[in-house]
């Protein structure tokens, strides 16, 4: 029996992208849970940039404009779309969430079904369990706030595009037509981070994406511009709560 469109409460989609694939800004009428099965994904939405690696998921509420970029040789996404009122029971702002083994298996099960229909009691219960697991999943600090000032935004875009570049900030400031002091004030005011801390976190998020792709710790640190492995390891652990080696190993659990 074919389900009526109005009876659907969860839809699913599995898709694979090549590295560098971008999807222009768009929005969905349904809430979106994007689980990264392989590779990593960079998402820009609501003046924030998120890096979502394997074993994590990005929650995007309905109606939020966003654009995507695939990071990794091959990026596999497992996406669930949640209708109202399911999506309204989840956070009103985008966030990266932990993916527990139970949540991962439930997502895969829903993908095998293709959809969940609210009029079928068993599927309605699965939908509610899904909402409960996402709501209970811990949020992970894998985002960078983006400055609104045009010159500061130009610098932020440069640092994101070339996270391993070690050009002095003063020289980069000249390139965007502002003094370093002006940019420091803009970053502190609009992102809540000193510009040096913002740059460091951008490089660590880039390194995390490389580790998720399978790069070695040495390769990831070097590509992200870190000259000291010890310094890289300490900074990485402070942001992600684990060593780069352990973070890399988690990709095999996806």
């Amino acid at each position: 029996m074919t389900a009526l469109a109005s009876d659907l409460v969860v839809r699913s989609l599995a898709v694979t992208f090549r590295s560098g694939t971008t999807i222009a800004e768009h929005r969905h009428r349904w809430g979106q849970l994007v689980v990264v099965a392989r590779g990593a994904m960079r998402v820009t939405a609501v003046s924030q940039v998120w890096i979502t690696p394997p074993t994590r998921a990005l929650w995007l509420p309905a109606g939020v404009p966003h654009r995507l970029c695939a990071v990794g040789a091959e990026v596999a996404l497992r996406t669930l779309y949640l209708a109202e009122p399911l999506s309204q029971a989840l956070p009103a702002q985008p966030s990266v969430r932990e993916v527990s083994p139970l949540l991962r298996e439930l997502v895969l099960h829903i993908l095998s079904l293709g959809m969940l229909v609210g009029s079928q009691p068993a599927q309605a219960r699965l939908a509610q369990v899904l909402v409960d697991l996402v709501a209970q999943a811990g949020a992970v600090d894998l985002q960078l706030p983006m400055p609104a000032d045009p010159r500061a935004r130009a610098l932020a875009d440069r640092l994101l595009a070339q996270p391993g570049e070690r050009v002095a900030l003063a020289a980069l400031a000249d390139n965007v037509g502002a003094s370093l002091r002006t940019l420091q004030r803009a970053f502190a005011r609009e992102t809540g981070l000193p510009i040096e801390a913002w740059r460091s976190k951008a490089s660590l998020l880039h390194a995390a994406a490389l580790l998720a792709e399978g790069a070695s710790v040495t390769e990831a640190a070097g590509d992200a511009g870190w000259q000291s492995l010890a310094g890289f390891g300490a900074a990485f652990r402070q942001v992600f709560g684990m060593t780069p080696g352990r973070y890399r190993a988690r990709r095999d659990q996806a």
Side-chain angles (χ1 to χ4, degrees), residues 23 26-27 45 52 57 72 84 92 97 105 116 119 127 134 137 158 167 173 178 189 192 200 210-211 213 220 223 237:
I23 299 177
H26 62 288
R27 67 184 73 196
T52 309
E84 297 181 357
R97 321 293 291 190
E105 291 303 317
L116 296 181
S119 60
V134 175
R158 168 74 176 266
V167 176
R189 179 179 66 251
S200 177
L210 295 176
L211 292 169
E213 184 184 348
D223 200 79
R237 186 165 188 167

mmCIF file of all heavy atoms in Angstrom, residues 23 26-27 45 52 57 72 84 92 97 105 116 119 127 134 137 158 167 173 178 189 192 200 210-211 213 220 223 237:
data_model
loop_
_atom_site.group_PDB
_atom_site.id
_atom_site.type_symbol
_atom_site.label_atom_id
_atom_site.label_comp_id
_atom_site.label_asym_id
_atom_site.label_seq_id
_atom_site.Cartn_x
_atom_site.Cartn_y
_atom_site.Cartn_z
ATOM 1 N N ILE A 23 27.393 22.261 -2.876
ATOM 2 C CA ILE A 23 25.963 22.427 -3.129
ATOM 3 C C ILE A 23 25.604 23.846 -2.716
ATOM 4 O O ILE A 23 25.833 24.250 -1.569
ATOM 5 C CB ILE A 23 25.130 21.401 -2.342
ATOM 6 C CG1 ILE A 23 25.523 19.979 -2.767
ATOM 7 C CG2 ILE A 23 23.642 21.632 -2.563
ATOM 8 C CD1 ILE A 23 24.802 18.895 -2.006
ATOM 9 N N HIS A 26 20.702 26.549 -0.073
ATOM 10 C CA HIS A 26 19.325 26.100 -0.246
ATOM 11 C C HIS A 26 18.727 25.877 1.135
ATOM 12 O O HIS A 26 19.401 26.030 2.148
ATOM 13 C CB HIS A 26 19.277 24.802 -1.067
ATOM 14 C CG HIS A 26 19.982 23.657 -0.415
ATOM 15 N ND1 HIS A 26 21.361 23.580 -0.315
ATOM 16 C CD2 HIS A 26 19.509 22.542 0.205
ATOM 17 C CE1 HIS A 26 21.700 22.472 0.318
ATOM 18 N NE2 HIS A 26 20.602 21.828 0.652
ATOM 19 N N ARG A 27 17.473 25.514 1.180
ATOM 20 C CA ARG A 27 16.811 25.228 2.451
ATOM 21 C C ARG A 27 15.780 24.132 2.241
ATOM 22 O O ARG A 27 15.386 23.842 1.109
ATOM 23 C CB ARG A 27 16.159 26.487 3.031
ATOM 24 C CG ARG A 27 14.993 27.017 2.224
ATOM 25 C CD ARG A 27 14.466 28.315 2.824
ATOM 26 N NE ARG A 27 15.374 29.427 2.568
ATOM 27 C CZ ARG A 27 15.334 30.579 3.222
ATOM 28 N NH1 ARG A 27 14.456 30.756 4.193
ATOM 29 N NH2 ARG A 27 16.168 31.552 2.915
ATOM 30 N N ALA A 45 26.056 27.945 7.552
ATOM 31 C CA ALA A 45 24.668 28.337 7.820
ATOM 32 C C ALA A 45 24.643 29.278 9.012
ATOM 33 O O ALA A 45 25.420 29.128 9.955
ATOM 34 C CB ALA A 45 23.798 27.112 8.113
ATOM 35 N N THR A 52 31.766 18.464 9.897
ATOM 36 C CA THR A 52 31.122 17.272 10.444
ATOM 37 C C THR A 52 31.857 16.030 9.953
ATOM 38 O O THR A 52 31.784 15.684 8.776
ATOM 39 C CB THR A 52 29.642 17.204 10.013
ATOM 40 O OG1 THR A 52 29.009 18.452 10.302
ATOM 41 C CG2 THR A 52 28.926 16.093 10.757
ATOM 42 N N ALA A 57 26.856 13.902 13.485
ATOM 43 C CA ALA A 57 25.747 14.266 12.599
ATOM 44 C C ALA A 57 25.472 15.750 12.748
ATOM 45 O O ALA A 57 25.680 16.332 13.821
ATOM 46 C CB ALA A 57 24.499 13.461 12.936
ATOM 47 N N GLY A 72 37.216 15.336 1.494
ATOM 48 C CA GLY A 72 37.657 13.947 1.521
ATOM 49 C C GLY A 72 37.561 13.351 0.129
ATOM 50 O O GLY A 72 36.850 13.863 -0.740
ATOM 51 N N GLU A 84 7.209 18.135 10.571
ATOM 52 C CA GLU A 84 6.629 18.639 11.808
ATOM 53 C C GLU A 84 5.567 17.634 12.271
ATOM 54 O O GLU A 84 4.937 16.973 11.448
ATOM 55 C CB GLU A 84 5.986 20.006 11.569
ATOM 56 C CG GLU A 84 6.971 21.083 11.151
ATOM 57 C CD GLU A 84 6.289 22.424 10.939
ATOM 58 O OE1 GLU A 84 5.045 22.481 11.062
ATOM 59 O OE2 GLU A 84 6.981 23.399 10.642
ATOM 60 N N ALA A 92 16.290 24.456 17.952
ATOM 61 C CA ALA A 92 15.887 25.447 16.957
ATOM 62 C C ALA A 92 17.071 25.998 16.178
ATOM 63 O O ALA A 92 16.884 26.731 15.206
ATOM 64 C CB ALA A 92 15.142 26.593 17.638
ATOM 65 N N ARG A 97 25.999 16.849 16.427
ATOM 66 C CA ARG A 97 25.629 15.965 17.529
ATOM 67 C C ARG A 97 26.463 14.688 17.484
ATOM 68 O O ARG A 97 26.871 14.225 16.420
ATOM 69 C CB ARG A 97 24.148 15.576 17.446
ATOM 70 C CG ARG A 97 23.199 16.662 17.020
ATOM 71 C CD ARG A 97 23.083 17.784 18.015
ATOM 72 N NE ARG A 97 22.412 17.391 19.240
ATOM 73 C CZ ARG A 97 22.033 18.254 20.185
ATOM 74 N NH1 ARG A 97 22.285 19.547 20.032
ATOM 75 N NH2 ARG A 97 21.426 17.833 21.279
ATOM 76 N N GLU A 105 22.605 2.777 14.168
ATOM 77 C CA GLU A 105 21.866 1.618 13.671
ATOM 78 C C GLU A 105 20.426 1.980 13.324
ATOM 79 O O GLU A 105 19.856 1.457 12.360
ATOM 80 C CB GLU A 105 21.898 0.492 14.707
ATOM 81 C CG GLU A 105 23.266 -0.133 14.903
ATOM 82 C CD GLU A 105 23.848 -0.673 13.606
ATOM 83 O OE1 GLU A 105 23.101 -1.311 12.830
ATOM 84 O OE2 GLU A 105 25.046 -0.444 13.351
ATOM 85 N N LEU A 116 9.342 6.585 7.018
ATOM 86 C CA LEU A 116 8.501 6.187 8.137
ATOM 87 C C LEU A 116 7.138 6.835 7.962
ATOM 88 O O LEU A 116 7.039 8.022 7.639
ATOM 89 C CB LEU A 116 9.113 6.611 9.477
ATOM 90 C CG LEU A 116 10.450 5.965 9.855
ATOM 91 C CD1 LEU A 116 10.918 6.478 11.214
ATOM 92 C CD2 LEU A 116 10.356 4.442 9.862
ATOM 93 N N SER A 119 0.963 6.679 10.244
ATOM 94 C CA SER A 119 -0.243 5.893 10.505
ATOM 95 C C SER A 119 0.067 4.446 10.869
ATOM 96 O O SER A 119 -0.826 3.707 11.283
ATOM 97 C CB SER A 119 -1.162 5.923 9.279
ATOM 98 O OG SER A 119 -0.493 5.368 8.154
ATOM 99 N N ALA A 127 9.971 6.642 14.818
ATOM 100 C CA ALA A 127 10.189 8.075 14.617
ATOM 101 C C ALA A 127 10.379 8.788 15.946
ATOM 102 O O ALA A 127 11.235 9.667 16.083
ATOM 103 C CB ALA A 127 9.020 8.679 13.840
ATOM 104 N N VAL A 134 18.240 11.807 19.120
ATOM 105 C CA VAL A 134 18.899 13.027 18.644
ATOM 106 C C VAL A 134 18.871 14.099 19.730
ATOM 107 O O VAL A 134 19.866 14.802 19.962
ATOM 108 C CB VAL A 134 18.232 13.544 17.355
ATOM 109 C CG1 VAL A 134 18.840 14.880 16.933
ATOM 110 C CG2 VAL A 134 18.383 12.526 16.230
ATOM 111 N N ALA A 137 21.473 13.307 22.301
ATOM 112 C CA ALA A 137 22.863 13.270 21.840
ATOM 113 C C ALA A 137 23.587 14.553 22.237
ATOM 114 O O ALA A 137 23.039 15.655 22.139
ATOM 115 C CB ALA A 137 22.906 13.092 20.323
ATOM 116 N N ARG A 158 39.651 33.493 3.486
ATOM 117 C CA ARG A 158 41.020 33.152 3.079
ATOM 118 C C ARG A 158 41.607 32.097 4.020
ATOM 119 O O ARG A 158 42.234 31.121 3.573
ATOM 120 C CB ARG A 158 41.876 34.423 3.090
ATOM 121 C CG ARG A 158 43.392 34.208 2.964
ATOM 122 C CD ARG A 158 43.810 33.821 1.558
ATOM 123 N NE ARG A 158 45.260 33.723 1.453
ATOM 124 C CZ ARG A 158 46.051 34.718 1.038
ATOM 125 N NH1 ARG A 158 45.529 35.900 0.701
ATOM 126 N NH2 ARG A 158 47.353 34.543 0.947
ATOM 127 N N VAL A 167 51.263 32.597 6.439
ATOM 128 C CA VAL A 167 51.558 34.010 6.193
ATOM 129 C C VAL A 167 51.152 34.809 7.430
ATOM 130 O O VAL A 167 50.121 34.538 8.062
ATOM 131 C CB VAL A 167 50.796 34.512 4.950
ATOM 132 C CG1 VAL A 167 51.025 36.002 4.738
ATOM 133 C CG2 VAL A 167 51.214 33.714 3.727
ATOM 134 N N ALA A 173 46.150 41.005 6.506
ATOM 135 C CA ALA A 173 45.304 42.179 6.739
ATOM 136 C C ALA A 173 45.490 43.202 5.627
ATOM 137 O O ALA A 173 44.519 43.792 5.134
ATOM 138 C CB ALA A 173 45.625 42.792 8.097
ATOM 139 N N ALA A 178 42.718 46.363 5.366
ATOM 140 C CA ALA A 178 42.433 46.822 6.727
ATOM 141 C C ALA A 178 43.676 46.631 7.580
ATOM 142 O O ALA A 178 44.547 45.812 7.272
ATOM 143 C CB ALA A 178 41.259 46.056 7.326
ATOM 144 N N ARG A 189 34.713 41.222 18.370
ATOM 145 C CA ARG A 189 33.346 41.723 18.536
ATOM 146 C C ARG A 189 32.316 40.788 17.903
ATOM 147 O O ARG A 189 31.248 40.543 18.477
ATOM 148 C CB ARG A 189 33.250 43.116 17.898
ATOM 149 C CG ARG A 189 31.859 43.754 17.987
ATOM 150 C CD ARG A 189 31.854 45.144 17.367
ATOM 151 N NE ARG A 189 32.101 45.118 15.931
ATOM 152 C CZ ARG A 189 33.221 45.539 15.346
ATOM 153 N NH1 ARG A 189 34.209 46.025 16.078
ATOM 154 N NH2 ARG A 189 33.361 45.492 14.032
ATOM 155 N N GLY A 192 33.534 36.526 18.961
ATOM 156 C CA GLY A 192 33.820 36.174 20.344
ATOM 157 C C GLY A 192 35.181 35.532 20.528
ATOM 158 O O GLY A 192 35.516 35.091 21.633
ATOM 159 N N SER A 200 43.603 29.425 14.657
ATOM 160 C CA SER A 200 44.033 28.136 15.186
ATOM 161 C C SER A 200 42.907 27.112 15.106
ATOM 162 O O SER A 200 43.118 25.961 14.698
ATOM 163 C CB SER A 200 44.498 28.297 16.637
ATOM 164 O OG SER A 200 44.846 27.047 17.195
ATOM 165 N N LEU A 210 40.832 16.065 7.635
ATOM 166 C CA LEU A 210 41.850 15.218 7.007
ATOM 167 C C LEU A 210 41.994 13.892 7.745
ATOM 168 O O LEU A 210 42.128 12.832 7.125
ATOM 169 C CB LEU A 210 43.193 15.951 6.987
ATOM 170 C CG LEU A 210 43.265 17.212 6.122
ATOM 171 C CD1 LEU A 210 44.623 17.880 6.282
ATOM 172 C CD2 LEU A 210 43.009 16.880 4.657
ATOM 173 N N LEU A 211 41.964 13.938 9.070
ATOM 174 C CA LEU A 211 42.046 12.706 9.851
ATOM 175 C C LEU A 211 40.851 11.805 9.558
ATOM 176 O O LEU A 211 40.987 10.582 9.468
ATOM 177 C CB LEU A 211 42.101 13.037 11.343
ATOM 178 C CG LEU A 211 43.380 13.725 11.830
ATOM 179 C CD1 LEU A 211 43.201 14.235 13.254
ATOM 180 C CD2 LEU A 211 44.574 12.777 11.749
ATOM 181 N N GLU A 213 39.368 11.614 6.831
ATOM 182 C CA GLU A 213 39.575 11.062 5.487
ATOM 183 C C GLU A 213 40.583 9.922 5.504
ATOM 184 O O GLU A 213 40.631 9.104 4.590
ATOM 185 C CB GLU A 213 40.059 12.173 4.560
ATOM 186 C CG GLU A 213 40.214 11.772 3.108
ATOM 187 C CD GLU A 213 40.778 12.895 2.260
ATOM 188 O OE1 GLU A 213 40.826 14.034 2.757
ATOM 189 O OE2 GLU A 213 41.175 12.636 1.116
ATOM 190 N N ALA A 220 48.177 15.364 8.645
ATOM 191 C CA ALA A 220 47.128 16.325 8.984
ATOM 192 C C ALA A 220 47.717 17.568 9.640
ATOM 193 O O ALA A 220 47.332 18.697 9.320
ATOM 194 C CB ALA A 220 46.096 15.678 9.902
ATOM 195 N N ASP A 223 49.626 19.637 6.933
ATOM 196 C CA ASP A 223 48.738 20.288 5.972
ATOM 197 C C ASP A 223 47.961 21.428 6.615
ATOM 198 O O ASP A 223 47.566 22.379 5.944
ATOM 199 C CB ASP A 223 47.765 19.266 5.386
ATOM 200 C CG ASP A 223 47.156 19.733 4.079
ATOM 201 O OD1 ASP A 223 47.834 19.633 3.044
ATOM 202 O OD2 ASP A 223 46.003 20.214 4.101
ATOM 203 N N ARG A 237 43.614 18.191 21.316
ATOM 204 C CA ARG A 237 42.936 17.566 22.457
ATOM 205 C C ARG A 237 42.096 18.582 23.220
ATOM 206 O O ARG A 237 41.017 18.262 23.724
ATOM 207 C CB ARG A 237 43.964 16.932 23.385
ATOM 208 C CG ARG A 237 43.337 16.148 24.524
ATOM 209 C CD ARG A 237 44.344 15.249 25.196
ATOM 210 N NE ARG A 237 43.718 14.357 26.151
ATOM 211 C CZ ARG A 237 44.314 13.317 26.696
ATOM 212 N NH1 ARG A 237 45.560 13.027 26.365
ATOM 213 N NH2 ARG A 237 43.675 12.558 27.565
#
